[in-house]
Structures are given as C-alpha cells and as structure tokens.
Amino acid sequence: MSLRFLYHLFIKCARFGRSKGFGIQSPTHYSFVRYVINERYPYYAYNDLKDMFPEVSKIDRAHLELLFRLSNWRQPSIVTLLGCDTHIYREYIHRGCNKSLIHDSFQDRAISDYVIISANVLDVCLDTLLLYISDNSILVVEGINTIHATLWNDITKCKRATACFDLYFLGIVSFSNSPYNKQYKLSLQL
C-alpha cells in the first residue's frame, strides 16, 4: 500500500460519521451528498473509462469519477478546467455530459456552469473567479488543505456560496442567491 492510500484511509476514518450525509438538514444537500458525491453504483461509462486510462490510481479514479458524476448531474453547457490534466479530465467530464463545451481558461466573459481548479494552478483570484460564475454554477477546487487553503477559506466566506462540501482533498461549492451558507465536512467514498 502506498503512503497516499494510507493517508486517505486515515482521513476517511476521521470523517466516518459524516461521510454519508448524516446530520444534513437540507433535503437538497442530503440527496446531493448521497446520490452524487457518494454514489456507489457504477455508471454506464466507468468500465470504458477504466479501460481507456488503466494507469490512473484508485484514489485519482475516485476523484475523476466524482467529476464525471457532477457533470452527469449538472449537465453543464460550459465547463472551465484551470490547470487540469486536460485529456483525462475532458474525457471524464465529456462522458458525463457530451453536450458540454470544455475550455482551458475563462472565455470572453462566458459564464461557466462547472469550474474545476486544479492544485497545479497557483494564481487564482476569488474576485476574478466570481465574474465567470453564475448563481447556478458548481465549483470544484482541488488541494483545499494545501496549496488552495486561502482560496478555499475565502470561498467559504463568500456570500454567494450556498453550500460548501469539504472532502479534504477537494472542495465542491454551489452558488445561489440564498442568504444561507452551509459548510459540510465529508469524505469521498472509495
């Protein structure tokens, strides 16, 4: 076993009581945690994607499958990938929603429905980010406890962020005009 896997297992055990959405009062957020974030049943494209990318580790595959499920659930028209390994990410997101237009950067004031910020990107400004996100957007930030800890803290304090899901290795934020801001600490099921 790798050290990364053991570390992931430790985080999973530490957040065990909150991993399935127990204690979440909002029916919308609870169903999002149960049926999108921690969905256990295999989707239609998982086997094809596993055969296409056999070199991807189990932990990375769990993250990519989460991005696939988010794409399948949200059905975004515009997806922006900032600093991601675009070939693998593009394939997973495109299989989740084949109508999505996928960009490597923000395009001419186009509002993105789904934005993924990789841990490889160092210079992300929250104010610039909020210009390209609508009230129906989903934001995924990788490396929220390392390189993007400051950005993640700023996002969780933002008034437009309705629900913030801290999965330790990455964070998911939904936006709306709601006056409520909920923060949940969960673990991604492998």
Side-chain angles (χ1 to χ4, degrees):
M1 279 194 261
S2 71
L3 184 60
R4 184 175 177 209
F5 182 78
L6 290 173
Y7 183 67
H8 193 284
L9 188 62
F10 171 75
I11 297 302
K12 186 176 175 179
C13 290
R15 295 180 174 202
F16 182 73
R18 298 176 287 207
S19 65
K20 301 259 186 199
F22 301 123
I24 296 176
Q25 300 300 317
S26 167
T28 306
H29 296 164
Y30 177 79
S31 70
F32 178 71
V33 169
R34 290 291 288 170
Y35 304 116
V36 178
I37 293 177
N38 285 324
E39 178 64 62
R40 300 290 293 179
Y41 294 107
Y43 275 76
Y44 53 89
Y46 282 1
N47 288 334
D48 293 340
L49 290 165
K50 191 173 188 176
D51 292 342
M52 192 180 296
F53 303 108
E55 71 280 1
V56 176
S57 70
K58 183 177 180 179
I59 294 172
D60 290 338
R61 188 169 311 282
H63 290 182
L64 289 167
E65 288 174 351
L66 172 62
L67 299 178
F68 168 88
R69 291 191 303 271
L70 285 168
S71 178
N72 187 292
W73 170 75
R74 178 64 180 93
Q75 293 293 305
S77 56
I78 298 176
V79 177
T80 303
L81 303 174
L82 299 176
C84 301
D85 180 2
T86 56
H87 177 65
I88 296 174
Y89 279 70
R90 280 177 186 269
E91 193 62 40
Y92 270 84
I93 291 166
H94 187 69
R95 290 288 182 99
C97 179
N98 61 7
K99 68 175 184 159
S100 297
L101 296 173
I102 302 173
H103 302 291
D104 294 331
S105 63
F106 293 116
Q107 301 283 322
D108 301 323
R109 295 281 190 206
I111 303 297
S112 294
D113 298 321
Y114 184 21
V115 178
I116 301 169
I117 301 173
S118 171
N120 299 331
V121 178
L122 300 177
D123 57 342
V124 179
C125 175
L126 179 62
D127 295 331
T128 306
L129 189 63
L130 292 176
L131 292 175
Y132 296 99
I133 293 177
S134 74
D135 286 337
N136 296 319
S137 296
I138 296 291
L139 173 66
V140 176
V141 181
E142 295 179 344
I144 62 171
N145 284 313
T146 55
I147 195 80
H148 288 136
T150 306
L151 175 65
W152 180 250
N153 288 333
D154 292 344
I155 290 171
T156 58
K157 293 174 186 163
C158 177
K159 292 183 187 212
R160 286 179 56 196
T162 305
C164 303
F165 300 91
D166 178 348
L167 304 177
Y168 194 80
F169 293 103
L170 60 91
I172 302 171
V173 182
S174 65
F175 293 89
S176 77
N177 283 327
S178 172
Y180 304 107
N181 184 334
K182 297 287 184 178
Q183 296 182 34
Y184 305 105
K185 291 186 181 238
L186 310 164
S187 69
L188 182 60
Q189 300 294 309
L190 292 179

